[in-house]
Amino acid sequence: PESAWWERGLTQDHLAHRIRLGGLDAEDIVALSGAVGGPALTPEAGRRLRDHTDGHPLHATALLTELPADALADTSRILPAPRSFAALVLVRVAKLTRPAQDLVVATAVLGRRSPLSDVVALAAPADPLAALDEAVRAGLLDEVLTGAAHHVAFPHELVRAAVYADLPPGRRHALHRAAAGLLGGDAAMDHRVAAAVGPDPVLAAELTALGRAEVGARRWRHAADRLTAAADLSGTPEERGARLVLAVGAMLAGGEL
């Protein structure tokens, strides 16, 4: 009988061959969007959604149906987690003590993976190891140990997205300002942009210079992101328009038709 061979297969390992499935690739994500009635994604938008969800069809479909087309197309935005997934993550966060919550939030602001020293400096918990131990036991953070470094990371980008999206604007901006003061280079610039409120001509000029340098290096996506941010922070309509034209030129050069 059918039930007999099925039960035998479950109890005798040599009769079963386990296949581990990988996620969808970027082209599959673009096709999936069309299949579920989502927007026509550019190749870069497809790659971003694939990286964000690890190609998981359920998570990708949820975001394709929950988010507006402009949020999916704008590759400079931080994508959220699907609502049902985010609810599960936030329940876990709510059960943590305040120091552990602060550590998880600081990690979310800094990125998916960051040096433990940077996370502790930003969160400033009274007992960093106790807070880290609690967050790791809750499945919200992982320790990443190497011979020369000690990092903390989220087990999945969607966990980070759920925590980050739940932050009130005031606290999020304050943490980005603090992070900009802790870090240097491109990372500090990214946090300055995230912390900006209203026109900032000085920051817009710096971003324009960086965007032009990226154009010269033919790094089109990075150039477009810098120049779009510069346009958003411009002090006059003329500056905004000029920078937006440069950003669109970089998008076109990179194939973002």
Side-chain angles (χ1 to χ4, degrees):
E2 182 176 323
S3 60
W5 65 257
W6 180 246
E7 291 170 1
R8 190 167 68 253
L10 291 176
T11 58
Q12 300 181 41
D13 289 343
H14 69 279
L15 297 178
H17 179 64
R18 185 176 300 275
I19 301 173
R20 187 174 298 279
L21 299 179
L24 302 177
D25 62 24
E27 291 182 358
D28 293 329
I29 295 290
V30 172
L32 178 65
S33 184
V36 300
L41 297 180
T42 63
E44 183 59 37
R47 284 190 292 272
R48 181 179 69 140
L49 186 54
R50 187 260 170 261
D51 293 343
H52 186 64
T53 61
D54 284 342
H56 193 298
L58 181 64
H59 297 326
T61 300
L63 290 175
L64 287 168
T65 55
E66 290 176 7
L67 297 179
D70 60 340
L72 291 164
D74 184 354
T75 56
S76 66
R77 292 193 188 186
I78 297 177
L79 289 171
R83 286 192 288 265
S84 57
F85 184 91
L88 296 174
V89 171
L90 296 178
V91 166
R92 290 191 186 185
V93 175
K95 293 179 179 179
L96 299 177
T97 61
R98 182 57 186 267
Q101 288 183 13
D102 290 344
L103 198 75
V104 171
V105 166
T107 308
V109 168
L110 289 172
R112 182 171 178 178
R113 172 174 168 170
S114 300
L116 178 60
S117 57
D118 291 343
V119 174
V120 170
L122 185 59
D127 188 342
L129 289 180
L132 177 61
D133 182 62
E134 187 179 351
V136 169
R137 282 189 283 108
L140 292 165
L141 293 178
D142 291 332
E143 274 193 296
V144 184
L145 301 174
T146 65
H150 191 172
H151 289 74
V152 289
F154 287 98
H156 195 286
E157 178 60 27
L158 292 181
V159 178
R160 183 218 173 196
V163 175
Y164 186 85
D166 191 56
L167 283 173
R171 187 181 185 194
R172 185 178 68 248
H173 282 264
L175 284 168
H176 277 297
R177 282 195 299 272
L182 289 172
L183 306 175
D186 287 345
M189 178 61 72
D190 291 339
H191 287 294
R192 287 176 63 194
V193 172
V197 180
D200 188 331
V202 173
L203 181 55
E206 292 181 46
L207 288 165
T208 301
L210 287 173
R212 290 182 181 278
E214 297 285 15
V215 168
R218 303 175 68 86
R219 292 190 287 265
W220 306 117
R221 181 173 65 85
H222 294 294
D225 288 347
R226 294 299 191 199
L227 292 166
T228 301
D232 289 342
L233 296 170
S234 296
T236 67
E238 292 77 17
E239 290 174 331
R240 178 184 176 88
R243 287 160 177 163
L244 190 58
V245 167
L246 292 174
V248 171
M251 292 176 193
L252 293 173
E256 295 296 310
L257 303 180

